[in-house]
Amino acid sequence: MPTDSNHHSRNLTVYSFFFILYWLLGLEPTDDNIRLTFVNFSIHNTEVLPYLTHGILFYFAWRFYLNSKEMVKTSFIEFFNTFSNLNNSEAYPYEKLLKIANHDFKTNHEQKYKDSLKQHLKSNVKDVEVTFNISSFVINDSNNRLDLIVRGKYHTPRDNYISLPTQNYHIVPYLLKIKKRIYSHLIIWRFIKFSFLTEASPNFFLPWVLFLLAITTSILRYFCIDFV
């Protein structure tokens, strides 16, 4: 997560703040001259200044976005998997996801796993016995997309098989297929909690808040709407 030592965050924060301050104080240039400590400049093409200043603002926003997006994604995944209560059996998300995962396993995965085990069956056993239990739910970044992964255990009675690994279960992660509405609600709600409950989140969100305010004040100034 970006911190104050991140110059991209600092550039966007400070530059956006001056946009807001310019509107709040109702500042106006007294003439077409720019005065520095030792040199005075006279501006002839003043209509270029708004394009130049806004171009710099959007450049700082673009640089900050490129610099922070991966760190934010990594921090969110860590927060989600650690504090989301998805694996708390008494929490609502767990009960909902457990129901979805069991149905998804029966529909999309059970037969495939049975077929892979048939070669290990003893001659007097006609069918594969498999039970499935959810081990955990996590989200993972794959192809720039957040996917909900189920870690489940396939249990098999070893007495019915000629050869199996020493344990009588396999831990198999797979992508959980759930409705977009349910998944989006889950991600959005967890992201809101992530935004307010993590210590470093203001260092990411404050520059974006000030950036949006800077754009807003520019629009207000364009329509000649002053603070007072």
Side-chain angles (χ1 to χ4, degrees):
M1 181 69 71
T3 63
D4 286 336
S5 60
N6 186 317
H7 65 279
H8 298 294
S9 171
R10 184 172 60 253
N11 288 344
L12 183 58
T13 299
V14 173
Y15 200 73
S16 297
F17 177 74
F18 280 117
F19 267 74
I20 300 168
L21 192 64
Y22 190 83
W23 177 75
L24 288 175
L25 298 180
L27 298 178
E28 292 286 352
T30 56
D31 51 41
D32 292 341
N33 293 322
I34 297 178
R35 296 177 178 84
L36 301 178
T37 305
F38 301 105
V39 183
N40 290 341
F41 293 94
S42 179
I43 302 175
H44 297 287
N45 299 322
T46 55
E47 64 276 4
V48 176
L49 282 177
Y51 298 100
L52 178 63
T53 54
H54 285 83
I56 295 174
L57 177 66
F58 280 100
Y59 171 76
F60 284 155
W62 173 64
R63 291 295 297 158
F64 178 61
Y65 166 75
L66 293 178
N67 180 260
S68 62
K69 64 176 183 177
E70 289 302 323
M71 289 183 286
V72 172
K73 183 190 295 184
T74 301
S75 299
F76 175 63
I77 291 175
E78 181 181 355
F79 173 85
F80 188 100
N81 291 333
T82 304
F83 301 106
S84 64
N85 282 333
L86 284 189
N87 300 299
N88 181 357
S89 59
E90 297 180 358
Y92 168 76
Y94 179 85
E95 295 177 357
K96 184 71 174 179
L97 290 175
L98 183 65
K99 183 178 179 180
I100 296 172
N102 283 322
H103 178 268
D104 184 66
F105 167 71
K106 289 287 185 181
T107 305
N108 301 302
H109 302 276
E110 184 177 35
Q111 190 57 48
K112 295 178 183 178
Y113 186 68
K114 284 185 176 183
D115 292 342
S116 68
L117 285 178
K118 283 183 178 179
Q119 58 180 321
H120 300 287
L121 282 173
K122 293 180 179 179
S123 58
N124 60 338
V125 178
K126 297 182 180 180
D127 195 13
V128 175
E129 295 183 36
V130 176
T131 57
F132 178 73
N133 296 104
I134 304 299
S135 174
S136 63
F137 298 102
V138 296
I139 62 168
N140 189 33
D141 178 24
S142 57
N143 298 322
N144 291 321
R145 184 183 66 182
L146 294 180
D147 289 328
L148 185 61
I149 306 296
V150 175
R151 289 175 178 165
K153 294 181 180 179
Y154 298 107
H155 292 264
T156 56
R158 294 183 69 250
D159 293 341
N160 294 334
Y161 297 88
I162 301 172
S163 61
L164 277 180
T166 54
Q167 71 273 23
N168 65 343
Y169 63 86
H170 294 165
I171 299 178
V172 183
Y174 67 88
L175 178 64
L176 178 60
K177 296 179 180 179
I178 61 177
K179 294 181 179 179
K180 188 175 182 179
R181 175 180 58 83
I182 299 174
Y183 181 63
S184 299
H185 177 268
L186 187 65
I187 292 294
I188 291 172
W189 177 241
R190 291 302 184 272
F191 191 78
I192 291 174
K193 293 182 67 175
F194 164 76
S195 303
F196 288 97
L197 297 181
T198 53
E199 182 179 356
S201 60
N203 297 322
F204 169 73
F205 288 104
L206 181 61
W208 286 123
V209 170
L210 292 177
F211 170 73
L212 293 176
L213 288 175
I215 296 299
T216 302
T217 57
S218 292
I219 295 173
L220 293 174
R221 190 169 188 83
Y222 178 80
F223 289 103
C224 301
I225 302 175
D226 296 327
F227 178 60
V228 290

